[in-house]
Amino acid sequence: MSEQIVEPKIRGFISLTAHPDGCAANVRQQIEIAQIGSPSETQGEIGNVLVIGSSTGYGLASFLVSSFGYGAATLGVCFEKEPTETKPATAGWYNLVEAHRLAEVNDLHIETINGDAFSDEVKQEVVQAITERFGQLDMVVYSLAAPRRRDPDGTIWNSVLKPIDEPYTGKSFDLRRHKVIDGMFVEPANQDEIEATCKVMGGEDWKSWIELLSSNGLLARECRTVAYSYIGPDVTAALYRRGTIGRAKEHLEKTANELDAFLKPTDGGAWVSINKGVVTQASSAIPGVPLYMSLLFKSMKQRGTHEGVIEQIVRLFTDHIGPGQTPILDNERRIRLDDLEMEEAVQREVLERWDLVTDENLDELTDYAGYRHYFEELFGFDVPGVDYKVPTEVNRNLPNA
Ligand code: NAD
C-alpha cells in the first residue's frame, strides 16, 4: 500500500507524475464513447486484435474500440514505467490498469505486454501469447510513437524533429512559460539524423512485425493492418511533413503498400490512416504543434467538428476498417480521418490567426486553455470529478505486464 497526494510536476511537454484516478476516469469516458459509437451488434464482432503502442493516445483508443466496442480479444504492447513504493507510474500504466479492471467486469479478454516493441524478446513474447491464448489475428494496429529504437545488435537510433535542407525560423510556443515565441530557429537535420528518424518512426518495424506474425501462421485470412500518420497544415510543414518526421511518415505510407501486396493473397490489407492532430505525449513535443493545435481547436470547436482520439478511432472502425467495411481512400491509398481538420475554411482561419497571434491576444484567438486542459488530462490531472486533495493508492498492479 502506498497512498499519497499526487500533484502535477509539469516540465514543458511532459509531466513527471500521473494521477491514477484521473487516468482511470479518462479511460472510463473513452470506453463509454467506444461502446456507443461502435455498433458491434449491427456491424459484427472482431475476433483477435494486436495493438502495438496500446497505452496512450491513438493506440489506447484503438485498444479500447477493439475490445469494448467490438468485443475483440485484444493484446496490447506498450512501454510504460510501473509504480514504485513511493513514485507514481506513468499515465499509460494507469490507463491500462483501469482498462484491465473493466475488461474483467465486462468479461472481455485483454492482455498487455509491457516492454520494448523493437526488441526480439518482446516480439517473441507476443508470438507466444497469441499462439497460446488468442489464436490468429484479424487485425494489427501499429501505433508506436517512440523517441528512440534499440536494435537487437545494440545499435541505437534517435529520432529528431528537424527541418530538412533549410533551417526553420518561425513561430512556436513555449509550454514552460506559456508564451508565444517569434523567431524560433531550428537547424536542418543531417543525413544520419534523417536516417535515424526513419528507422524509429518509418515502416521498417511495422513490416518486421507483420512478417514475423505471418511466418508463425498467426495472421487470419482477411487480416487487416493499419498504422497512423499525419500530414497537417502549411504552417508546420517545414518542421513536420517536409521535415525528418515527415520523411519517416512517407516511409511508413510506402510500407503500407508493400504490406498490402504481401497480404493480398490471403485477402487481407494494409493501410495508413492519416489522423487528426490531437494532444498526446508524442505530439506535445513537436515544435510549433501546440500553437497550431490551440488555433485549430478554437476553429473546429466553433464549427462543432472538434474530435479527440476516441472519436477518430470510432470513425476509423465504423467507416473504414471495421467488420464489413471497405476503407475509403484518397488518391495515394490513404484513409483520411483528418478531413475535418483540413477543411479549407478551418485552415484559412488558422493561417490568418497564426500570423496575428501574440501573448496579448492568445486567449482571444486560440483555445490555449483547451489545449492546456487536454495536456494535463493526459496525465490524469484537471479531470472533472477527481478530488486531487485526497491521497490515492499509486501502487496499482497491471495484470501480467
Ligand atoms: P502516444 O505518445 O500517445 O503513444 C505512443 C505509444 O507507443 C504508447 O502506448 C507508448 O507506450 C508506446 N511506445 C513508445 N515506445 C515504445 C516502445 N519502444 N515499445 C513499445 N511501446 C512503445 O502517441 P500518439 O500521438 O498516439 O501516436 C501514435 C501514432 O499516431 C504515431 O504514429 C503518430 O505519428 C500518429 N499520429 C499522431 C497524431 C497526433 O496528433 N498525436 C496525429 C496523427 C497521427
Side-chain angles (χ1 to χ4, degrees), residues 168-174 177-186 288 291 353-361:
Y168 170 82
T169 314
K171 267 194 171 142
S172 188
F173 197 79
D174 183 340
R177 295 183 302 139
H178 314 286
K179 281 188 166 311
V180 177
I181 308 170
D182 231 335
M184 182 186 66
F185 180 81
V186 189
L291 183 59
R353 291 178 176 176
W354 178 271
D355 289 333
L356 299 175
V357 69
T358 62
D359 291 335
E360 286 68 42
N361 60 24

Side-chain angles (χ1 to χ4, degrees), residues 52-59 77-80 115-118 142-148 201 228-230 240 245 249 252 273-283 293 309:
I52 301 158
S54 60
S55 53
T56 56
Y58 276 120
V77 181
C78 62
F79 209 19
E80 299 294 338
D116 184 358
F118 293 115
Y142 189 84
S143 187
L144 275 198
R148 73 187 55 81
M201 289 298 287
Y228 300 138
S229 186
Y230 184 63
Y240 195 93
I245 181 75
K249 291 299 185 190
L252 187 80
S273 172
I274 310 285
N275 296 352
K276 168 186 183 288
V278 289
V279 184
T280 65
Q281 292 179 36
S283 69
M293 283 190 192
V309 282

Side-chain angles (χ1 to χ4, degrees), residues 208-380:
S208 71
W209 272 102
I210 296 299
E211 287 174 349
L212 176 74
L213 294 164
S214 168
S215 67
N216 281 276
L218 297 179
L219 300 182
R221 270 199 82 75
E222 299 183 19
C223 177
R224 298 178 151 197
T225 185
V226 64
Y228 300 138
S229 186
Y230 184 63
I231 293 178
D234 287 346
V235 285
T236 60
L239 279 170
Y240 195 93
R241 193 64 198 188
R242 293 198 305 272
T244 47
I245 181 75
R247 193 62 70 84
K249 291 299 185 190
E250 277 170 20
H251 188 266
L252 187 80
E253 291 162 25
K254 209 169 88 228
T255 305
N257 297 336
E258 289 170 25
L259 290 178
D260 194 64
F262 180 74
L263 294 171
K264 265 285 154 323
T266 52
D267 294 328
W271 300 275
V272 154
S273 172
I274 310 285
N275 296 352
K276 168 186 183 288
V278 289
V279 184
T280 65
Q281 292 179 36
S283 69
S284 313
I286 305 170
V289 164
L291 183 59
Y292 165 70
M293 283 190 192
S294 303
L295 289 160
L296 178 73
F297 297 167
K298 175 101 176 177
S299 196
M300 292 186 80
K301 280 181 182 174
Q302 274 170 352
R303 288 171 169 76
T305 56
H306 182 69
E307 291 175 313
V309 282
I310 194 72
E311 290 85 2
Q312 282 265 292
I313 298 303
V314 163
R315 196 144 71 83
L316 175 67
F317 277 63
T318 50
D319 294 353
H320 300 280
I321 61 168
Q325 299 304 304
T326 304
I328 302 155
L329 306 174
D330 70 7
N331 53 17
E332 293 183 52
R333 250 200 103 255
R334 305 174 297 198
I335 296 167
R336 301 299 297 263
L337 293 182
D338 65 341
D339 48 353
L340 301 173
E341 170 178 355
M342 299 313 285
E343 268 179 5
E344 211 189 312
V346 171
Q347 286 301 319
R348 196 177 336 107
E349 192 164 79
V350 168
L351 185 63
E352 279 164 17
R353 291 178 176 176
W354 178 271
D355 289 333
L356 299 175
V357 69
T358 62
D359 291 335
E360 286 68 42
N361 60 24
L362 188 68
D363 290 334
E364 185 197 329
L365 293 190
T366 81
D367 182 31
Y368 180 59
Y371 179 90
R372 198 71 208 166
H373 162 71
Y374 297 133
F375 176 74
E376 292 187 14
E377 208 181 46
L378 287 181
F379 306 97

Side-chain angles (χ1 to χ4, degrees), residues 374-390:
Y374 297 133
F375 176 74
E376 292 187 14
E377 208 181 46
L378 287 181
F379 306 97
F381 298 108
D382 204 23
V383 176
V386 177
D387 188 348
Y388 292 99
K389 292 189 199 77
V390 175

Side-chain angles (χ1 to χ4, degrees), residues 57-70:
Y58 276 120
L60 174 66
S62 310
F63 190 75
L64 299 176
V65 169
S66 301
S67 49
F68 290 88
Y70 287 87

